[in-house]
Structures are given as C-alpha cells and as structure tokens.
Amino acid sequence: MNPLWDEARTFIEACYRELGKCEADIERRLDEVRHQIQRDGTYEHTFEELEHGARMAWRNSNRCIGRLFWQSLHVFDRRHLREPQAMFEAICEHLRFARNGGKIRPTLTVFAPASREREVRIWNHQIVRYAGYETPHGIVGDPASAAFTRVCQDLGWRGQGSPWDVLPVVIADGGALAWFELPRDLVLEVPIEHPEHRSIADLGLRWYAVPVLSDMALIIGGIRYTAAPFNGWYMVTEIGARNLADPFRYNMLPAVADALGLDRSSDATLWRDRALVELNVAVLHSFRKHNVTIVDHHTAARQFAYFEQLERDANRRVTGDWTWLIPPLSPAATHIFHSGYDNDFVLPNFVRQRRPYPAPHLRIDPSVFR
Ligand code: ARG
C-alpha cells in the first residue's frame, strides 16, 4: 500500500516491543500514525521513538565496532529549529555536552526531517575537521578536506593556512547557506607525544577529541533525518593508523620513523610497521594523559564480542561489515578477523548521502604508496 506506512508500522512495532509496551499501546499508536499519514502524507515521531530509533540505528551500523554502547546514546531533539544560526548553537551545545571535559558521551542531535518543501543539510563531513589547502608544494593540512575547504573559501571563509585549522560549520536549509566559525574553546584537541621517545612530540602532531559525523542521514520508520550529527569516542587506530598515517592523509610514517631513528633504506626493515605501532602508542598515551576518552583496538574488539553475545541473547541477528570492523592495525590479533558477518542492511540505520557540493571523485593514486 503506502510505503511510508509500511515502514512506519514495522518500526513502531519493533520499537514498542523492545521498549516493553503492551499490544494495546502499539495499536493505539499505529492508528494515530496511520491517520497522520493519511492526512499529512507524513507523521511525527514522539521523543521516545526518536531516541530509541536512533539507538537502533547505531545498533544496526554494520561498520561500527563500538556498538556495545548503543543504549547509552544521548539524543537531543532539535527538530523544531528553523534558523541556521539556531542550528549552529545547537551544534555547539552538542559539542559541549559530548566533550564533557574529556569523558566523552555518545551524543546525537536531530534536526528537522526531510519534507517535500525542505531539506536541511550540514555540509561538513564531521563537525570538527582540519582544513586541507592546495598549495604549489602539495596539500597543507588534511587532504581529505581539500574539496570542502575550497567550498568554505568560496563562501568567504579564510583559514590561517596551518596544517591544523578547524573548518567552519556550513549549514544549508533549502536555498539558504550559512557558515559559522566554531569557538576555539569548544574544540578539544590533544597534542601527540610518546611516553618514551621525546622526538615524537617535536613533530607537532595533534588530533581533536570528538569525532562528530555530520553528513549521514538517519532513517527511522520511513522518516529521513538529513541532518543528524552524532559522535562516539575515538578508537586509537582511526587516528594513529589512518588519519595521521595514510599516505593520502597526513602521511606521517616517514617522519615518525625518522624521529624513532628507524632504518628506512628498505621496505623490508618493516620501518612502517614499527612506526605505526609507536604512533598508536603515542596517540593512546596522549589522550589518556589529557583525560580524553579513547579505546584501543583490542579492548574495542573484546567489547564488540560482548555486544555480539548480548544481541544473540536478545534473539537479534548481528549484522556487520567485516572489511570495516577489523582494525587496520594487527587485525588478526582480534576475534573479528577470524569471524564472518552478514553485511545485511537493517533499519533504522544511518546512510551516506550525496555530497551537496561539487567535488572531484576521490580516487587514491597508487603512486602515493611508493
Ligand atoms: N574514522 C573517522 C575519523 O577518524 C571517525 C568515524 C567515527 N568514529 C568513531 N569512533 N565514532 O575521524
């Protein structure tokens, strides 16, 4: 019949059963939702549905190793906000709440869902991210941000030109586009040092504390929330084995190896592998020292095993994307590597959306690995 009604019904039934509601409550709510859909062509979630739906979406995120904590997600309902300025203030509040003085709280802020008339989007990939400037000598900063940095500059934003400039927040509401500079004191960052090798600190590496993904849509019961930024805390390898290490990102392994005095005359000295381990030791040590929540990949994998067990106990199937669940460092030292997962897409969930600004297709040039 009506595809929205089908999805709404499936969600309400699952959500209300999980919340331990009686059949009469479910029937009453289904009647209400059906009438709303018939009258308006859409329906509005209660806060309870929104909160639990968002938690289910996290639980169903096949690429996430941190799903054990899905029930702790804190949801801010900002569906009523209309002005980009007010949305930006809500984002600041999200950051402040999530940061929590370093003891990071998984948090999600929901803005108005997509409708026929209106779609709000946050153009940033993450609320906090470093700019990447194209210069004649290559990219300064995070190459992953190069296209978006250009967009910000076209909007009139000017960065310092350092490798660690925090990008502005760009919010689009229909035709209106606005950008805002995040207050410096809201952006918690950690300078990277090694517990034994002093020379690592001299590299001047740093990373921000809270990864707030802001470009995915949250889909609950047929309703599409196109602006629903959310965060957890970092797993060390995301920073130490990818953001700072990938040859097409900050590409720091050669500099780290030199700081450690490793022999780089041949690939076979395994200098990259040794640099990777020490860089991850440094990231973990630095976050700990500054009392910022972070998890190592062995602990995260063990937590994921516990999640799998709890889900089986609750008679739910665990879906997963093996290629993303294995950590990029020592994958075979975790149980995940030796397990299989069905990568089925289950709703509610988070989905990628079309990039709202023009950007060249990101293709990794294999020559960066030479
Ligand atoms: N991998 C992304 C990054 O390095 C963050 C993705 C979400 N990670 C998380 N721990 N919740 O910035």
Side-chain angles (χ1 to χ4, degrees):
M1 184 190 96
N2 181 330
L4 173 58
W5 163 242
D6 286 340
E7 289 184 43
R9 188 181 50 200
T10 306
F11 165 66
I12 298 290
E13 284 173 354
C15 174
Y16 278 39
R17 295 229 159 86
E18 287 188 20
L19 291 172
K21 307 252 185 199
C22 64
E23 294 303 311
D25 282 352
I26 299 182
E27 285 312 314
R28 199 170 319 116
R29 179 58 178 148
L30 284 176
D31 280 346
E32 220 169 70
V33 168
R34 194 176 44 239
H35 283 123
Q36 269 191 46
I37 292 177
Q38 277 163 359
R39 193 189 58 206
D40 307 331
T42 186
Y43 72 106
E44 201 172 297
H45 287 132
T46 65
F47 176 72
E48 204 178 20
E49 291 161 5
L50 192 63
E51 180 181 61
H52 196 70
R55 290 173 176 172
M56 292 167 84
W58 185 5
R59 191 178 74 206
N60 290 330
S61 293
N62 289 358
R63 295 173 164 184
C64 177
I65 193 176
R67 287 181 271 165
L68 173 62
F69 302 98
W70 66 274
Q71 288 173 95
S72 74
L73 183 68
H74 186 94
V75 176
F76 284 116
D77 179 6
R78 304 292 190 229
R79 288 176 291 175
H80 55 284
L81 296 182
R82 308 222 132 244
E83 292 296 310
Q85 174 71 41
M87 289 176 61
F88 173 68
E89 280 159 22
I91 288 168
C92 290
E93 234 176 288
H94 176 134
L95 267 184
R96 199 174 299 116
F97 179 88
R99 180 190 58 178
N100 190 29
K103 196 172 162 32
I104 294 168
R105 293 187 274 217
T107 305
L108 177 138
T109 295
V110 195
F111 294 108
S115 67
R116 261 190 309 276
E117 308 82 54
R118 181 164 178 243
E119 178 175 313
V120 291
R121 287 286 298 269
I122 299 168
W123 282 20
N124 307 59
H125 164 60
Q126 291 179 31
I127 297 299
V128 175
R129 253 211 160 184
Y130 299 123
Y133 305 98
E134 281 169 68
T135 78
H137 331 283
I139 291 177
V140 171
D142 192 343
S145 298
F148 180 63
T149 301
R150 172 61 61 81
V151 168
C152 295
Q153 290 172 324
D154 289 346
L155 292 173
W157 175 79
R158 288 289 170 271
Q160 303 278 297
S162 92
W164 315 102
D165 292 354
V166 174
L167 287 159
V169 177
V170 178
I171 298 172
D173 187 349
L177 198 56
W179 62 270
F180 306 88
E181 195 83 73
L182 284 165
R184 283 305 315 176
D185 64 303
L186 260 188
V187 182
L188 184 58
E189 288 178 281
V190 177
I192 307 300
E193 61 174 41
H194 192 283
E196 293 119 38
H197 302 280
R198 307 287 303 272
S199 50
I200 294 292
D202 300 335
L203 298 174
L205 305 179
R206 57 207 280 155
W207 205 255
Y208 52 85
V210 192
V212 190
L213 270 71
S214 49
D215 57 359
M216 297 183 86
L218 166 61
I219 300 182
I220 302 174
I223 303 292
R224 188 179 173 91
Y225 297 98
T226 50
F230 61 89
N231 74 275
W233 50 76
Y234 264 116
M235 180 164 84
V236 64
T237 54
E238 298 184 87
I239 302 167
R242 301 299 313 280
N243 302 342
L244 295 178
D246 277 343
F248 48 86
R249 295 290 300 286
Y250 277 83
N251 190 23
M252 294 308 299
L253 293 185
V256 168
D258 290 348
L260 296 170
L262 300 176
D263 174 7
R264 289 208 282 128
S265 64
S266 151
D267 286 342
T269 66
L270 301 191
W271 61 268
R272 284 191 188 80
D273 311 70
R274 298 176 74 176
L276 268 171
V277 170
E278 296 310 331
L279 182 54
N280 278 270
V281 166
V283 171
L284 205 47
H285 163 82
S286 307
F287 270 61
R288 289 241 172 100
K289 178 172 167 179
H290 290 263
N291 292 314
V292 175
T293 311
I294 192 162
V295 66
D296 68 86
H297 45 302
H298 305 288
T299 304
R302 213 150 359 82
Q303 290 168 343
F304 188 71
Y306 187 44
F307 167 72
E308 293 177 69
Q309 187 196 314
L310 291 181
E311 287 302 290
R312 272 195 302 273
D313 293 349
N315 280 314
R316 284 189 294 259
R317 216 161 52 90
V318 176
T319 56
D321 183 344
W322 187 93
T323 67
W324 277 61
L325 289 172
I326 55 162
L329 197 64
S330 314
T334 69
H335 79 284
I336 301 171
F337 186 89
H338 309 281
S339 312
Y341 300 90
D342 292 325
N343 193 15
D344 292 348
F345 178 77
V346 181
L347 288 164
N349 216 319
F350 295 96
V351 296
R352 292 190 167 180
Q353 321 188 69
R354 238 201 358 264
R355 216 192 275 101
Y357 53 88
H361 182 65
L362 289 178
R363 191 166 31 79
I364 309 301
D365 176 357
S367 74
V368 298
F369 288 95
R370 280 207 285 276

